[in-house]
Amino acid sequence: DAMVIQNPRYQVTQFGKPVTLSCSQTLNHNVMYWYQQKSSQAPKLLFHYYDKDFNNEADTPDNFQSRRPNTSFCFLDIRSPGLGDAAMYLCATKGARPKQPQHFGDGTRLSIL
Amino acid sequence: AQSVTQLDSHVSVSEGTPVLLRCNYSSSYSPSLFWYVQHPNKGLQLLLKYTSAATLVKGINGFEAEFKKSETSFHLTKPSAHMSDAAEYFCVSLNQAGTALIFGKGTTLSVSS
């Protein structure tokens, strides 16, 4: 059974048109992460939530924002997508205990027209 | 600074032959290390984890890895490759605060019949 669920799996949007990607989890984990992964590269962390506390990576563009309305859901908002934002976006979760691994969803592949 | 180096960007094996994917780490503290696998258009799946217990770690699908402090290595092995093992493999470390993953660049495993 899928424990970290990302919707949609594939998303197409137009240049400059806002888009929202969604992630939900059934693990009741405290921490939720968003990564961007471009072709043939490792995932790059954009930001994460520890419960309601938001932690932005220093090099994440302002164009990317996130919301976590409750423990189960987290959203990635891209305000004005550019061609360079086409990528796979991965959501991951982790429990509060130290040294636990992260659990990933299957990702949303975003295309920009 | 902590880092993870995957020594091969691409490994090719024949079905039924052993698999060796090499990973070295650099850390000033006792590391937590993971191997993840990513199949095309999928998220990352945890294969195994080392968190300072047994140095030989067994994972899913017949994979195992051995933590060698003297060699700062955490190589992934499997006795007999299957076609379904063809994928991207990431060696990953956890930062000292336990808040972020540090990824190697990945190794693409190809399996031929």
Side-chain angles (χ1 to χ4, degrees):
Chain A
D1 291 338
M3 295 177 287
V4 182
I5 303 160
Q6 293 189 241
N7 285 307
R9 292 294 320 282
Y10 299 90
Q11 175 75 56
V12 180
T13 192
Q14 292 179 333
F15 182 94
K17 185 174 181 182
V19 65
T20 294
L21 310 182
S22 121
C23 177
S24 63
Q25 56 139 338
T26 60
L27 297 163
N28 204 34
H29 280 168
N30 300 82
V31 195
M32 293 187 78
Y33 301 84
W34 279 105
Y35 291 87
Q36 179 192 65
Q37 186 180 27
K38 296 194 174 180
S39 182
S40 301
Q41 295 182 20
K44 178 180 181 299
L45 182 63
L46 295 173
F47 26 59
H48 75 276
Y49 274 93
Y50 193 114
D51 293 326
K52 287 191 174 296
D53 292 333
F54 178 70
N55 298 273
N56 198 29
E57 293 301 299
D59 57 353
T60 298
D62 293 339
N63 201 23
F64 290 85
Q65 297 185 338
S66 186
R67 297 170 282 134
R68 189 178 185 186
N70 53 52
T71 299
S72 301
F73 285 87
C74 196
F75 300 97
L76 169 62
D77 301 307
I78 309 177
R79 289 193 296 184
S80 182
L83 296 178
D85 297 329
M88 174 76 94
Y89 290 86
L90 296 166
C91 174
T93 73
K94 190 180 93 65
R97 286 188 295 130
K99 300 187 178 181
Q100 283 188 327
Q102 293 182 17
H103 298 264
F104 285 80
D106 276 340
T108 295
R109 183 165 295 283
L110 179 66
S111 300
I112 314 293
L113 299 180
Chain B
Q2 190 176 11
S3 65
V4 175
T5 303
Q6 292 184 243
L7 298 169
D8 306 292
S9 59
H10 200 144
V11 170
S12 296
V13 300
S14 298
E15 192 173 24
T17 64
V19 175
L20 170 64
L21 305 183
R22 299 182 296 164
C23 173
N24 285 355
Y25 69 91
S26 171
S27 176
S28 59
Y29 54 92
S30 180
S32 295
L33 296 166
F34 311 95
W35 276 98
Y36 282 88
V37 62
Q38 186 177 31
H39 289 92
N41 289 313
K42 290 284 199 177
L44 277 70
Q45 180 184 18
L46 180 68
L47 282 177
L48 48 82
K49 62 180 179 179
Y50 167 77
T51 55
S52 76
T55 56
L56 183 61
V57 182
K58 293 190 183 299
I60 62 171
N61 300 337
F63 285 95
E64 63 181 38
E66 186 171 8
F67 175 76
K68 292 187 176 180
K69 186 175 180 179
S70 60
E71 299 176 10
T72 61
S73 69
F74 190 57
H75 301 334
L76 181 71
T77 61
K78 182 173 180 176
S80 176
H82 291 213
M83 296 294 288
S84 60
D85 294 328
E88 189 77 13
Y89 290 78
F90 291 100
C91 182
V92 183
S93 179
L94 192 60
N95 71 350
Q96 190 169 13
T99 56
L101 297 180
I102 299 166
F103 285 86
K105 290 187 182 296
T107 298
T108 302
L109 177 64
S110 299
V111 182
S112 58
S113 56

